[in-house]
Amino acid sequence: MDEKLVAQRVSEVRGRIAQAALQAGRSPEEVRLVAVSKEVPPEAIRAAYKAGLRYFGESRLQEAQGKAQALRDLPIRWHMVGHLQSNKAKHAVGLFELIHSVDSLKLLQLLQRHAQRQGKVQEVLLQVKLVPEPTKHGLSVEELKRLLQEAQGMEHIRVRGLMCIPPYSPEPEDSRPFYQRLRALRDGLQAEGFELPELSMGMSGDYEVAVQEGATMVRVGTAIFGERPR
Ligand SMILES: *Cc1c(COP(=O)(O)O)cnc(C)c1O
């Protein structure tokens, strides 16, 4: 892995985030860059760490555990961005600072139970499905409200905000309406009294649009590490 190339890409992504933030009248510091390192070897993650990144997103628990072990000398903050199976809740609580992808009450309850046992407060985001595709993970707006209410009674869970993945498109502007909807949904819930400061939205193809629309976390893989092997 070419350290210089990774450093160059990190700096380019940071510059574009800053520019998009300023265009929207926001401060660039309001946006956290989460480097999505799924399928990326530990040496490349180390290079990105050297380039200043601290938050790394993984989509499979076992893969993340292996990398966390290999990189245990670095104070990396691991985030779970992919779908989390219920039977992985226990180990996920042990590893991830933030789980972006909570999409069922059952998972939330298991995270609460394991966080309690481990003496932790698990921070989570709730993943929202903005188009009703049966094959896609995520909560409907009705389910989202139910989970938010349930979470208020869970002492070991802290819901920090919302996350979404829009339908894939090569055209970044196609994502804008989805990001506007997620933000509007969040604003409406905040008006109802739920505290939801974080909006996790935006990937390599559209993170600038997401920042313009209010993202506080962008999840960027390819633009930092290059194309994943397929
Ligand atoms: C893979 C992945 C990303 C990063 O995708 P890129 O297009 O490589 O930036 C972001 N979010 C989730 C949930 C992912 O699975």
Side-chain angles (χ1 to χ4, degrees), residues 36 38 81 163 165 203-204 219-222 228:
V36 177
K38 63 186 182 201
V81 301
M163 180 271 227
I165 307 173
M203 306 178 22
S204 292
R219 309 179 308 269
V220 179
T222 314
R228 290 178 287 273

Side-chain angles (χ1 to χ4, degrees), residues 11-191:
S11 143
E12 159 143 13
V13 171
R14 282 206 187 288
R16 288 180 176 222
I17 289 172
Q19 201 177 13
L22 293 173
Q23 277 167 358
R26 306 179 63 204
S27 160
E29 284 89 71
E30 289 172 33
V31 186
R32 260 196 278 179
L33 174 54
V34 179
V36 177
S37 50
K38 63 186 182 201
E39 296 172 53
V40 168
E43 310 82 72
I45 299 176
R46 195 176 285 280
Y49 180 91
K50 278 194 192 165
L53 298 186
R54 294 294 176 269
Y55 304 96
F56 289 87
E58 290 282 336
S59 61
R60 291 172 58 220
L61 175 74
Q62 270 182 314
E63 188 183 327
Q65 285 174 317
K67 291 178 195 173
Q69 178 66 17
L71 297 165
R72 61 189 181 283
D73 57 312
L74 303 179
I76 285 179
R77 324 267 285 265
W78 296 100
H79 285 199
M80 178 62 172
V81 301
H83 177 66
L84 184 61
Q85 289 168 281
S86 300
N87 61 357
K88 308 268 169 71
K90 176 180 168 185
H91 294 291
V93 168
L95 177 58
F96 297 110
E97 170 185 83
L98 179 69
I99 298 170
H100 290 230
S101 46
V102 171
D103 60 358
S104 73
L105 180 57
K106 183 182 167 202
L107 177 59
L108 194 69
Q109 287 165 333
L110 283 165
L111 291 170
Q112 151 76 8
R113 185 191 306 165
H114 290 294
Q116 181 173 30
R117 284 184 190 160
Q118 295 175 37
K120 287 183 63 174
V121 174
Q122 180 66 54
E123 299 206 332
V124 304
L125 305 179
L126 300 180
Q127 182 174 351
V128 184
K129 184 158 64 169
L130 297 168
V131 267
E133 286 175 85
T135 55
K136 292 278 162 67
H137 296 293
L139 302 157
S140 68
V141 173
E142 293 70 41
E143 291 168 326
L144 170 66
K145 289 192 178 172
R146 164 108 202 273
L147 260 69
L148 281 169
Q149 276 154 3
E150 294 280 346
Q152 285 184 317
M154 297 183 182
E155 282 189 23
H156 295 267
I157 293 288
R158 202 157 152 237
V159 179
R160 296 284 297 155
L162 307 180
M163 180 271 227
C164 77
I165 307 173
Y168 174 77
S169 163
E171 171 51 60
E173 282 301 324
D174 289 347
S175 300
R176 192 180 297 277
F178 295 101
Y179 295 152
Q180 287 172 336
R181 273 162 65 191
L182 194 72
R183 187 200 178 137
L185 183 59
R186 189 279 306 266
D187 290 350
L189 291 164
Q190 293 222 119

